[in-house]
Amino acid sequence: GYNIPPGNLYAEGEGRLEIYATGLRNPWRFSFDPFNGDLYIGDVGQNLWEEIDRLAVGQGGSRNFGWNYYEGAHPYAGTPAKGVEYIPPLWEYDHSQGCSVTGGVVYDGQALPAWKGVYLFADYCSGLVWGLLNTPDGVEHALFHQTGAAVSSFGEDGEGEVYLLDLYGKIYRLEPAR
């Protein structure tokens, strides 16, 4: 009950056809944009950089995000292979802002209309929650909230409202400021 993505780099028998993406170090949560089907991935870095990756619909499967030649958009180790196209991160941040990205979700609820269509993600260590929005002029970003939580995952209810899951057992619902 599934199809191999068109344009899969392994279609010629060099690897398993089911492989959808390579070059990820430690993908910690991924989700699909309910508006356009793009895939968002929170990829935990090694030493200095955390990244959000995006595989847009139509890019096809088996794309390479560059690990371990790159950590975020920065050289990490070795020399990149010739002829391989690497997808740079959509967004990255250094360890002055946190230490471990937690991938999130694209907001589709009603309680926060200004955030509709925004990809929300967090950092496990700092508890910061950010939003990214793709625009024709590039990526806009904003700090959404400083939670103080050890955000380990995101969830959504049937209405599209977003919940943060804290590693220590608490669940937070994102709501408008009061």
Side-chain angles (χ1 to χ4, degrees):
Y2 66 92
N3 292 320
I4 303 302
N8 185 302
L9 296 178
Y10 299 112
E12 301 300 318
E14 299 161 8
R16 294 190 58 113
L17 292 176
E18 291 84 357
I19 295 175
Y20 195 74
T22 60
L24 296 162
R25 183 186 170 272
N26 183 8
W28 191 257
R29 307 298 185 247
F30 68 90
S31 64
F32 291 96
D33 183 329
F35 299 102
N36 63 19
D38 289 356
L39 173 65
Y40 286 89
I41 307 165
D43 195 15
V44 177
Q46 176 69 29
N47 295 327
L48 300 173
W49 297 95
E50 305 298 308
E51 68 186 79
I52 298 297
D53 296 307
R54 181 174 135 249
L55 188 57
V57 167
Q59 265 185 293
S62 297
R63 298 299 181 232
N64 192 321
F65 290 96
W67 174 258
N68 71 345
Y69 298 117
Y70 301 98
E71 180 181 20
H74 309 272
Y76 180 75
T79 303
K82 293 181 187 205
V84 176
E85 181 182 339
Y86 298 102
I87 299 173
L90 178 67
W91 188 255
E92 65 178 359
Y93 63 94
D94 66 28
H95 282 187
S96 69
Q97 299 179 70
C99 74
S100 183
V101 68
T102 300
V105 297
V106 174
Y107 183 72
D108 189 21
Q110 301 301 318
L112 303 164
W115 290 84
K116 195 157 192 105
V118 172
Y119 176 73
L120 299 169
F121 67 99
D123 186 85
Y124 168 80
C125 300
S126 67
L128 297 174
V129 178
W130 291 279
L132 295 178
L133 181 64
N134 293 303
T135 71
D137 297 326
V139 178
E140 293 181 14
H141 74 285
L143 179 64
F144 178 78
H145 194 64
Q146 188 167 0
T147 67
V151 181
S152 59
S153 194
F154 284 75
E156 296 174 279
D157 65 19
E159 310 297 308
E161 300 306 330
V162 173
Y163 296 80
L164 305 178
L165 287 74
D166 178 279
L167 184 66
Y168 302 104
K170 293 185 179 180
I171 299 173
Y172 301 92
R173 179 180 166 169
L174 295 183
E175 296 182 351
R178 296 175 197 213

